[in-house]
Amino acid sequence: MSRLNVKMISLFASVGLVLAGCGTGAATKVEKKPEVKAAKQELVSEKYYFTANEGGTISKINVKDNKVAGTIEAEGVVHNIQLSPDGKVVAATLIPESGHGHGGHEGGTSGKVVFYDAFTNELLKEVEVGNHPAHVVYSGDGKYVLTTNNEDDTVSVIDAAAYKVIKTVPTGNGPHGFRVSPDSQFAYIANMGEDTVSVINLETFQEERMKIGSTPVTTGVTKDGKTLAVTLFSENSLAIVDLETKQVAKVEVGTGPAQVYIGPDSKYAYVANQGTEESPSSSMSIVDLEAKTVVDEIKTGNGAHGVTVSNDGKFAYVTNMFDNTVSIIDLASKQVKTIKVGEIPNGITIMN
């Protein structure tokens, strides 16, 4: 069985796939102050990216040298992960160990969103959500944290300051990956169990649906809020949607596309092609959103799933689920470096 969601796949199987003491002298004090200040500056300058590992950990990797700087242990499957807009908090979806496998949450065990200090790794809060939480996303204004509940066909809206669920909104069948528009007004949620994307208005919490294509997995939105990108796993394509006219164009990418990430200039979409565990894909497609064509395909590890891009547009980072690795891609030279992370890396997020 493929590990698109590994332990979260009762829905995916039904559609035929599975898809982080001073001295006493004044002179002595004067000498020590610059050292303390330098240490603080060095701490602040460190930046990291994080992978959600379904084996039960979060890998924390230093952007500077691409070395694992820490591992956060979690009691359950860590599926997806995202940093807060200020880069201080990292949120991840967690399926407790008692909720693994088919049959999901017998006895009423709910999933969680867990929040950690991005620098100290301290657990800040656990928030109970619905069954089999899939993706987690902050709104750009930092007001809300949303998570899709894959088995409940809902999305939980969490107050990011209070760490409390304030709203549960119905979606289509099998909600999975999503993004929030740059103006924090809409959430675009891919419903894997049907051929639609749910559009949630984050002011009214009303939901509408757009028909897109077969087995949508995740979405991405351009900075101007005018273009939506949706990976279609069963069609091996990326749907490009004009949000004003609702017209849908499809671009063929690699086999079994999973996540998509819109680059900082909104010109390109970066698509991780996963395939299945039995027949894995190992590439990232780069799609020109205006020309609606693939301009490059770069070799990654097996089961390319999660993808993100640095804010300067210089590097792409792809999790390889079936190799337990991350591919770091220099987007200018197209050179690829591969590092080991935790078991079954899925989602990925980076400080910018």
Side-chain angles (χ1 to χ4, degrees):
M1 179 176 291
S2 168
R3 289 175 176 162
L4 179 60
N5 282 314
V6 184
K7 315 256 182 180
M8 295 177 55
I9 43 188
S10 54
L11 166 68
F12 306 156
S14 71
V15 296
L17 65 123
V18 188
L19 282 161
C22 296
T24 55
T28 303
K29 292 181 181 178
V30 171
E31 289 175 359
K32 287 190 175 183
K33 282 183 180 179
E35 295 174 5
V36 174
K37 184 178 180 181
K40 288 182 179 179
Q41 289 176 339
E42 184 178 356
L43 176 63
V44 171
S45 68
E46 294 297 327
K47 293 187 181 296
Y48 305 95
Y49 55 97
F50 300 79
T51 63
N53 307 318
E54 295 194 347
T57 63
I58 294 170
S59 294
K60 178 180 180 178
I61 304 102
N62 195 307
V63 171
K64 190 182 299 181
D65 58 13
N66 292 304
K67 292 183 178 179
V68 175
T71 300
I72 301 171
E73 301 287 339
E75 296 181 356
V77 172
V78 189
H79 181 70
N80 191 253
I81 194 163
Q82 195 189 22
L83 282 153
S84 58
D86 62 10
K88 295 179 179 180
V89 178
V90 62
T93 53
L94 180 70
I95 307 167
E97 291 178 349
S98 59
H100 290 185
H102 294 287
H105 298 272
E106 295 180 5
T109 303
S110 296
K112 299 176 181 179
V113 175
V114 287
F115 297 86
Y116 296 92
D117 185 297
F119 291 95
T120 68
N121 304 345
E122 175 190 1
L123 177 63
L124 302 175
K125 201 75 176 180
E126 295 183 351
V127 178
E128 191 172 289
V129 290
N131 287 341
H132 279 212
H135 281 218
V136 60
V137 176
Y138 275 86
S139 58
D141 57 13
K143 185 177 180 180
Y144 298 127
V145 183
L146 291 82
T147 185
T148 44
N149 302 308
N150 186 262
E151 288 193 350
D152 291 349
D153 300 336
T154 62
V155 60
S156 296
V157 183
I158 301 169
D159 183 306
Y163 293 112
K164 290 183 179 180
V165 175
I166 60 169
K167 200 80 175 178
T168 301
V169 184
T171 63
N173 185 18
H176 190 253
F178 68 106
R179 290 290 175 185
V180 174
S181 60
D183 61 6
S184 299
Q185 296 300 301
F186 299 97
Y188 296 93
I189 298 169
N191 298 312
M192 287 192 67
E194 56 186 55
D195 58 0
T196 67
V197 166
S198 288
V199 184
I200 309 290
N201 185 313
L202 296 182
E203 291 183 348
T204 66
F205 298 110
Q206 296 299 305
E207 182 241 9
E208 295 182 357
R209 290 180 209 172
M210 298 187 295
K211 188 172 183 179
I212 303 297
S214 184
T215 323
V217 180
T218 54
T219 70
V221 193
T222 55
K223 283 187 175 181
D224 61 8
K226 294 181 179 180
T227 304
L228 179 71
V230 186
T231 50
L232 300 176
F233 188 94
S234 296
E235 297 185 28
N236 301 328
S237 66
L238 180 72
I240 301 174
V241 186
D242 184 318
L243 290 171
E244 294 179 342
T245 66
K246 301 300 188 291
Q247 289 185 326
V248 179
K250 296 178 182 179
V251 179
E252 186 176 348
V253 290
T255 303
Q259 288 193 22
V260 57
Y261 192 91
I262 305 295
D265 59 3
S266 289
K267 183 176 181 179
Y268 299 110
Y270 300 84
V271 181
N273 302 307
Q274 178 191 291
T276 63
E277 188 173 8
E278 293 77 16
S279 182
S281 294
S282 55
S283 71
M284 181 188 75
S285 299
I286 302 177
V287 178
D288 185 312
L289 291 170
E290 185 176 357
K292 297 180 177 59
T293 186
V294 173
V295 295
D296 212 338
E297 187 163 337
I298 300 170
K299 179 74 174 176
T300 62
N302 288 315
H305 184 95
V307 58
T308 191
V309 176
S310 59
N311 201 42
D312 59 10
K314 293 182 178 180
F315 294 93
Y317 302 80
V318 177
T319 58
N320 304 307
M321 292 187 71
F322 309 138
D323 288 346
N324 301 331
T325 63
V326 170
S327 293
I328 302 101
I329 303 165
D330 184 316
L331 293 173
S333 69
K334 304 302 189 297
Q335 291 184 332
V336 181
K337 178 179 180 177
T338 302
I339 63 168
K340 282 283 186 180
V341 290
E343 183 183 0
I344 318 170
N346 192 305
I348 187 167
T349 187
I350 187 171
M351 287 181 178
N352 278 310

